[in-house]
Amino acid sequence: MTDTKIAVVTGAARGIGAATALRLARDGFAVAVCDLDETTCAGTVETIEKAGGRALAVGVDVTDATQVETAVARITADLGAPLVLVNNAGIIRDNLLFKMTDLDWDSVIAVHLRGAFLMSRAVQTHMTAAGWGRIVNLSSTSALGNRGQANYSAAKAGLQGFTKTLALELGKFGVTVNAIAPGFIVTEMTAATAERMGVDFEAMQTAAAKQIPVRRVGQPNDIAATVAFLVGEESSFVSGQVIYVAGGPQG
């Protein structure tokens, strides 16, 4: 890229978000590293800056419209107009339906769906004005259904519909919108799931790998590499798609 573009990655303090922020910085983007607690973004920012890149740590609750608007205004002032957005922020509150509380449901829907809506609405003005933009939403194979995840599955399926609609609305402005649906990815979130289930995490990975056609579990960099393609120039004819990055066919 001749001109540095500004990318915003939510949930970027760790896991898939951090790997994505690092990859985009390596590809020449200046990156706004966003997470609920700004201090947790320090490690990602430091790694980017040590490699010679530009990054900004931004604390933002993506479910809060005022915080989102403030964060995007700050990013624009400090880095420049954001033309790439990766909606990665997410939480899990797993439970079977009869045990799931109102808060379990509302909080998961809010972070995934409301968060992606608020962030996308806030940045689209810059993208449409520039006549170029990329939005990537993180869905999941859980969108196809997963026991104990009625809230998470509904949110991730909702993101697929959200993605397709934004692709229709924003395409004429040079903005593409796609979703990535990861399968089993080794992150703190999956490790926490293993702990909650009382299962050894290494054993869980081994068992999962046996069910995956490529015979391995995924790593955050697998997702980051797919994001890198979708936000680049060569993907300009790819929009409204859900790409399952799961080591085998899904969907």
Side-chain angles (χ1 to χ4, degrees), residues 22-233:
L22 294 172
R23 173 59 189 263
L24 295 185
R26 195 169 81 235
D27 287 351
F29 289 89
V31 184
V33 179
C34 302
D35 216 299
L36 186 60
D37 182 354
E38 186 169 316
T39 60
T40 63
C41 301
T44 305
V45 170
E46 183 180 359
T47 302
I48 290 172
E49 291 179 339
K50 280 185 176 179
R54 291 177 63 209
L56 174 71
V58 180
V60 56
D61 178 351
V62 296
T63 71
D64 186 303
T66 300
Q67 286 194 36
V68 166
E69 292 293 339
T70 299
V72 171
R74 179 185 167 199
I75 291 164
T76 304
D78 290 1
L79 292 179
L83 298 184
V84 169
L85 170 64
V86 181
N87 284 311
N88 170 72
I91 61 172
I92 54 173
R93 297 290 185 271
D94 295 353
N95 226 325
L96 294 174
L97 180 63
F98 77 99
K99 294 181 179 179
M100 189 171 287
T101 67
D102 292 359
L103 183 60
D104 289 338
W105 177 271
D106 291 344
S107 58
V108 169
I109 297 297
V111 173
H112 294 272
L113 276 178
R114 178 177 168 85
F117 159 66
L118 291 176
M119 289 298 301
S120 299
R121 187 178 66 180
V123 302
Q124 59 83 30
T125 301
H126 299 288
M127 296 178 180
T128 55
W132 192 98
R134 300 285 187 267
I135 297 174
V136 180
N137 299 314
L138 267 293
S139 180
S140 169
T141 54
S142 290
L144 302 172
N146 198 27
R147 179 180 171 86
Q149 289 194 321
N151 48 5
Y152 188 76
S153 296
K156 291 305 193 182
L159 279 172
Q160 296 187 12
F162 179 68
T163 295
K164 292 176 182 295
T165 300
L166 290 196
L168 292 172
E169 293 185 6
L170 300 177
K172 65 181 179 180
F173 299 105
V175 180
T176 67
V177 188
N178 291 287
I180 296 172
F184 191 111
I185 308 295
V186 178
T187 65
E188 290 183 15
M189 185 178 287
T190 49
T193 299
E195 183 177 359
R196 178 180 59 80
M197 295 172 61
V199 177
D200 177 76
F201 191 39
E202 292 295 330
M204 175 184 273
Q205 292 178 59
T206 300
K210 291 178 180 178
Q211 304 301 315
I212 298 171
V214 300
R215 292 297 187 267
R216 72 170 177 89
V217 294
Q219 299 294 330
N221 284 336
D222 291 314
I223 308 305
T226 309
V227 173
F229 167 70
L230 290 174
V231 304
E233 294 290 352

